[in-house]
Amino acid sequence: EFMTKPFNVAQLENRIGATLAHKISVEAVKASASEHPTTQGPIDENVIESIMAINSGSAGGTLLAKVIASFSAQLPASLADLRSSVNNDDTEMLRQHAHALKSMSGNVGATQLTKALNDIEQAAALGQITLTQEDYDDVEELARNAVAGLQRWA
């Protein structure tokens, strides 16, 4: 079942809770998140644990491996899309590319990359940014750090 954007965290929690009620409760995820503070590294371990909690046992690791592989496979094309916005005045295209990459990054807990892309997306939405090569290089470095951080669980 699909959710249309925009949606908030509570709506997402409710949908996940309803969908996965027989496997995991939203309360268990919240309890786990409060027990394990977010790391300061490139990957939020709480997100990784949440992905693994969807399927119990080794199936959780299998799902996580698929999620990481999907992110790693899609990342080059998404970065190329963002790179096409360097020194381009089309802020709507930049916003769309930043948003898509931000969503992908958030799904794997790449917090630093997600924050940088959110900042770019918000500035582009206001028409207040032209992505420079230096900006893109910073994003690309954060992406490399995220991939390296995810290898711990791959």
Side-chain angles (χ1 to χ4, degrees):
E1 195 170 331
F2 295 96
M3 292 180 65
T4 57
K5 292 182 181 180
F7 52 86
N8 61 37
V9 173
Q11 291 168 320
L12 183 59
E13 284 178 346
N14 289 338
R15 177 63 57 90
I16 291 171
T19 303
L20 301 175
H22 62 286
K23 292 186 177 183
I24 187 170
S25 69
V26 172
E27 291 76 26
V29 172
K30 286 180 181 176
S32 175
S34 66
E35 292 170 11
H36 306 287
T38 303
T39 64
Q40 296 301 314
I43 304 299
D44 181 348
E45 292 184 19
N46 293 325
V47 173
I48 300 299
E49 290 173 6
S50 295
I51 293 168
M52 291 179 67
I54 292 171
N55 290 327
S56 61
S58 64
T62 301
L63 175 62
L64 178 60
K66 288 179 181 179
V67 169
I68 292 171
S70 177
F71 174 78
S72 297
Q74 294 176 28
L75 185 61
S78 294
L79 285 171
D81 287 344
L82 187 66
R83 185 176 349 156
S84 71
S85 296
V86 170
N87 296 322
N88 185 328
D89 290 332
D90 187 347
T91 57
E92 178 56 21
M93 181 191 328
L94 173 59
R95 186 198 65 74
Q96 290 174 9
H97 293 320
H99 176 79
L101 188 50
K102 176 191 77 169
S103 296
M104 272 179 42
S105 302
N107 288 339
V108 295
T111 53
Q112 296 169 352
L113 179 57
T114 302
K115 183 189 179 325
L117 291 162
N118 184 64
D119 292 347
I120 292 168
E121 178 188 10
Q122 295 303 314
L126 297 172
Q128 298 177 341
I129 187 172
T130 297
L131 189 70
T132 66
Q133 184 62 47
E134 184 178 339
D135 295 331
Y136 174 79
D137 291 344
D138 291 344
V139 168
E140 193 173 49
E141 181 177 350
L142 291 172
R144 281 192 304 270
N145 292 343
V147 169
L150 288 169
Q151 293 312 305
R152 174 177 168 199
W153 292 280

